[in-house]
Amino acid sequence: MADTPALPAVNREWHLLSRPVGWPKPEDFALVEAPMPTPGEGQVLVRNLYLSVDPYMRGRMSAAKSYVAPFELGKVMQGGAVGEVVASNAEGIAVGDHVLHFFGWREYAAVDAKNAVKVDPDAAPLSTYLGVLGMTGLTAYAGLLRTAAFKEGDVVFVSGAAGAVGSQVGQIAKLKGASKVIGSAGSDEKVKLLVEEYGFDAAFNYKNGSVSEQLRDAAPDGIDVYFDNVGGDHLEAAIGSLNQGGRIAVCGMISVYNNTEPAPGPRNLARLIQTRGRMEGFLVGDHYDLQPQFVQEVGPWVASGALKYRETVVEGIENNLEAFLGVLRGDNTGKMIVKL
């Protein structure tokens, strides 16, 4: 094993104590002191530098069967993280290397080398590997281009458009030749950001009135693609404005994640019949084959400034939970990152 620098005696990590009912409460979680992990054979010890908090984590806090296993009660939670290797028992990864892995919500992590991806801090800021060049970026790319089958000339509507995924969807659509890109967001400040910085053709604050009416005003001739991050009234509005042959990619439905009762579905689903519309859910994990193509195409856009991104950075492991709750509230502009 390579020489290990002096390490703290304990490792702070967030545990799930009870499964939230409705909105998560601080007492459902605890920041605990645990023994410092020791890397076994084929493992590396990583000092986490940046942690990711994402809406999908709310689903893992419930016991309901889903596409990914629930967090275990009384144990450390998981999430994307980027860090520096401080000890290595693995071929091909050395002390001082930086890696991307999925053992966040803690300061240090012992990670199987096969589950750690080396990243280059000189090619892009480390935090971008959790966002614009990471899972959220690939989510936007795969959902728009593969699931929604975007084509040049489409009119595209994106909900949650100032978030990490939504902001990238709109910009990729513009760079790929959309005739019009419309976004919805939850504040006038975010609406301004969408139009002035991200290049959306139109945007509206969904809190300022009927989503259906605001969408019709922004897209009087209808939409061809809807990228759904919100669900609820946004999905109903999109179905109402869908053109013939329109496509809806369902990425997330943050409006219903904390509901304790099932939310009613869109009242106008029958409209999919007359429009021959298609609505399809997707998970980024089914599209990792696009990763090389994604990095090859999007990386230069990020480097040149053609594709812009924002990050909301919260400092300190002690604020990891508050950062996560902030994502559910919509406090973030762009990707929410915790810096340790």
Side-chain angles (χ1 to χ4, degrees):
M1 185 188 298
D3 290 340
T4 302
L7 298 173
V10 295
N11 185 31
R12 289 187 295 171
E13 54 187 41
W14 280 95
H15 288 201
L16 182 66
L17 300 185
S18 56
R19 302 206 180 277
V21 177
W23 197 267
K25 301 181 295 295
E27 52 266 35
D28 295 324
F29 309 85
L31 179 62
V32 305
E33 292 187 345
M36 180 60 61
T38 302
E41 191 64 36
Q43 289 190 323
V44 294
L45 181 64
V46 182
R47 177 171 67 92
N48 287 333
L49 300 174
Y50 295 94
L51 307 177
S52 178
V53 285
D54 303 279
Y56 81 87
M57 293 173 174
R58 176 62 183 86
R60 295 196 68 184
M61 294 170 187
S62 300
K65 187 174 181 180
S66 183
Y67 60 89
V68 64
F71 291 134
E72 293 186 55
L73 291 180
K75 295 192 177 178
V76 61
M77 295 184 289
Q78 298 169 333
V82 174
E84 180 183 2
V85 175
V86 295
S88 177
N89 256 339
E91 293 288 328
I93 301 180
V95 170
D97 283 345
H98 292 85
V99 296
L100 170 67
H101 61 90
F102 287 93
F103 294 89
W105 290 83
R106 68 200 84 184
E107 292 176 306
Y108 288 82
V111 182
D112 290 342
K114 67 177 185 291
N115 294 329
V117 178
K118 283 203 282 189
V119 295
D120 183 358
D122 295 323
L126 285 172
S127 59
T128 63
Y129 294 104
L130 295 174
V132 67
L133 292 178
M135 185 176 72
T136 52
L138 181 60
T139 300
Y141 188 85
L144 177 69
L145 301 182
R146 179 176 278 173
T147 305
F150 170 84
K151 58 184 184 294
E152 189 175 348
D154 279 344
V155 176
V156 178
F157 172 45
V158 187
S159 58
V165 174
S167 59
Q168 207 157 337
V169 171
Q171 291 183 82
I172 292 172
K174 288 294 290 183
L175 288 162
K176 288 281 197 178
S179 61
K180 190 171 192 179
V181 174
I182 302 143
S184 73
S187 74
D188 293 341
E189 183 183 15
K190 289 181 179 180
V191 166
K192 185 178 179 183
L193 174 74
L194 291 175
V195 175
E196 295 185 0
E197 186 167 332
Y198 293 150
F200 282 60
D201 298 289
F204 60 85
N205 182 347
Y206 66 84
K207 296 175 182 176
N208 286 348
S210 161
V211 176
S212 292
E213 290 177 11
Q214 292 190 84
L215 179 57
R216 277 196 296 271
D217 289 343
D221 296 322
I223 62 172
D224 303 299
V225 168
Y226 171 48
F227 193 102
D228 190 16
N229 290 306
V230 173
D233 55 355
H234 282 73
L235 178 56
E236 187 168 293
I239 292 171
S241 285
L242 204 64
N243 288 331
Q244 187 161 317
R247 289 89 63 206
I248 297 172
V250 182
C251 175
M253 292 193 175
I254 198 168
S255 68
V256 302
Y257 286 171
N258 292 307
N259 288 4
T260 56
E261 298 293 331
R267 296 166 295 182
N268 57 351
L269 277 175
R271 201 168 180 278
L272 293 175
I273 301 169
Q274 67 193 72
T275 61
R276 289 73 149 181
R278 177 170 62 82
M279 184 166 69
E280 181 179 346
F282 75 98
L283 296 173
V284 66
D286 296 333
H287 302 282
Y288 283 135
D289 61 297
L290 288 176
Q291 180 76 25
Q293 175 185 325
F294 160 68
V295 172
Q296 184 178 20
E297 186 165 22
V298 176
W301 287 340
V302 173
S304 70
L307 193 150
K308 298 173 174 60
Y309 67 95
R310 289 280 192 100
E311 293 174 341
T312 300
V313 180
V314 172
E315 299 214 5
I317 185 75
E318 63 276 6
N319 294 315
N320 212 95
L321 175 61
E322 183 56 30
F324 167 70
L325 296 175
V327 170
L328 298 183
R329 289 191 299 261
D331 293 352
N332 57 304
T333 299
K335 183 75 183 79
M336 181 73 92
I337 301 282
V338 178
K339 181 181 180 181
L340 303 191

